[in-house]
Amino acid sequence: STKKIMRSIVLLALSLAHAGLVSGFTPRAPISPLAQRTPPSTTKLNLGVVITGGSNGVGYAYADEFLSLGHSVVICDVADTEPPVKALKAKHPGGEIYGTRCDVSNAEDVSALGAFAKEKLGTIHHWINNAGVNGGRRALMDVPISQVELVVKVNLLGVLLCTKQAMAVMAEQEGVEGHIFNTVGSGVKGGGTPGYACYGATKRGLPQLTDSLRKEIDEGVEGYEARKMKGSIKVHSLSPGMVFTKLLLEDSTPSLRKFPFGVLAAQPEEVAQDLVPKILAAKESGTSIEFLGTDKILKKFFERFVLQKKSEYIDDDGNVIKFPGEQYNEDGVRALY
């Protein structure tokens, strides 16, 4: 019956959310629906934004969206940033977009990134720790040690180094409110992530980091004199959910692509258009910003399993639907430029 179907949909949505497969942790300071729909007044200002892992995927889409709102952006990546910067400049004539190579797991690279961003932007208002790798989908026993190290270094050490660098810059910005966003993903709530044990473990640690930093900034550390800062710092969690990028599609199977990807995953541009206004609206430290909340999951499940609406991006055999005029790699990842 319809009631049984709806009950199953609700239970499945809640179980996915509880496992942390599609969203971040419970918001400490939810953003109002009005703030989510309407870009805040700060969008009238030219804000300085740093995005790690900005050459492709959702990082590139974030940069595109911030530029469309009139903000200045620095992207960094281990890949060459010249092509994405060129593409963004062509799309946003007169926009301020800069790029630099950076391995976020390397302290010297991250220090250089901070200096580069400060030089180009003048003031850094938002720093988004977006860079991440999954290490390939396979059992931990089959993952090469080099991949284990890579995932932990990029996803956890990289966030720690970048956050520390961002805080050092923001603390010296007189009268400026700085915001740092740490990207969470599958495993953030402790739910099992078979095939991605390393990735899930690194994401599980980020809510703890965000909460620890919030308390250190607001309350200090017992036994130590409170640090005096010229600027203020807020630390948040950012959950883009399932996005059709290399991170999601690499090593995927037709079954996974049909569900949950075909039901829940979104294109990078859609995610960025939804999240960037929420990022700009964040004020309270510890805010959790997510694209794929329980309400959106329920809506997508209702459309797929009750209304029988088919995926725009995955066919009935679990293949990526390739649109004319677009370019795709062997995993079905669409090129954004």
Side-chain angles (χ1 to χ4, degrees), residues 48-69:
V49 183
V50 176
I51 304 168
T52 69
S55 283
N56 285 290
V58 73
Y60 177 88
Y62 288 151
D64 187 8
E65 189 65 17
F66 276 114
L67 286 166
S68 73
L69 295 173

Side-chain angles (χ1 to χ4, degrees), residues 33-210:
L34 180 60
Q36 292 182 14
R37 290 194 302 268
T38 306
S41 58
T42 52
T43 58
K44 296 177 182 178
L45 304 175
N46 183 307
L47 303 179
V49 183
V50 176
I51 304 168
T52 69
S55 283
N56 285 290
V58 73
Y60 177 88
Y62 288 151
D64 187 8
E65 189 65 17
F66 276 114
L67 286 166
S68 73
L69 295 173
H71 303 303
S72 301
V73 179
V74 162
I75 61 171
C76 79
D77 209 299
V78 289
D80 184 7
T81 58
E82 186 175 345
V85 166
K86 183 178 179 180
L88 288 167
K89 282 184 175 179
K91 188 173 182 180
H92 303 280
E96 291 189 54
I97 172 68
Y98 310 96
T100 184
R101 283 183 183 270
C102 176
D103 175 357
V104 296
S105 69
N106 182 289
E108 290 184 1
D109 277 15
V110 173
S111 178
L113 169 63
F116 178 85
K118 185 69 178 173
E119 175 193 347
K120 297 299 183 182
L121 302 176
T123 301
I124 300 173
H125 298 88
H126 294 76
W127 183 300
I128 301 173
N129 287 320
N130 170 73
V133 295
N134 63 23
R137 188 179 63 84
R138 67 192 86 174
L140 178 61
M141 291 182 66
D142 299 324
V143 178
I145 291 298
S146 60
Q147 286 297 104
V148 174
E149 292 177 337
L150 177 66
V151 173
V152 174
K153 286 171 69 176
V154 173
N155 295 3
L156 194 53
L157 177 60
V159 170
L160 286 164
L161 292 176
C162 286
T163 297
K164 184 173 172 61
Q165 178 63 43
M167 292 176 73
V169 173
M170 292 174 178
E172 295 300 315
Q173 296 180 152
E174 185 78 47
V176 175
E177 185 175 275
H179 296 266
I180 302 168
F181 298 84
N182 293 325
T183 302
V184 299
S186 296
V188 64
K189 292 186 178 181
T193 55
Y196 300 106
C198 296
Y199 178 87
T202 60
K203 294 302 180 181
R204 176 63 167 164
L206 296 185
Q208 198 280 337
L209 170 63
T210 298

Side-chain angles (χ1 to χ4, degrees), residues 298-314:
L298 288 171
K299 180 177 182 290
K300 287 176 176 286
F301 280 2
F302 180 80
E303 290 175 343
R304 178 65 186 92
F305 299 114
V306 178
L307 301 182
Q308 296 294 303
K309 181 180 178 181
K310 292 181 181 278
S311 171
E312 295 178 65
Y313 309 112
I314 304 295

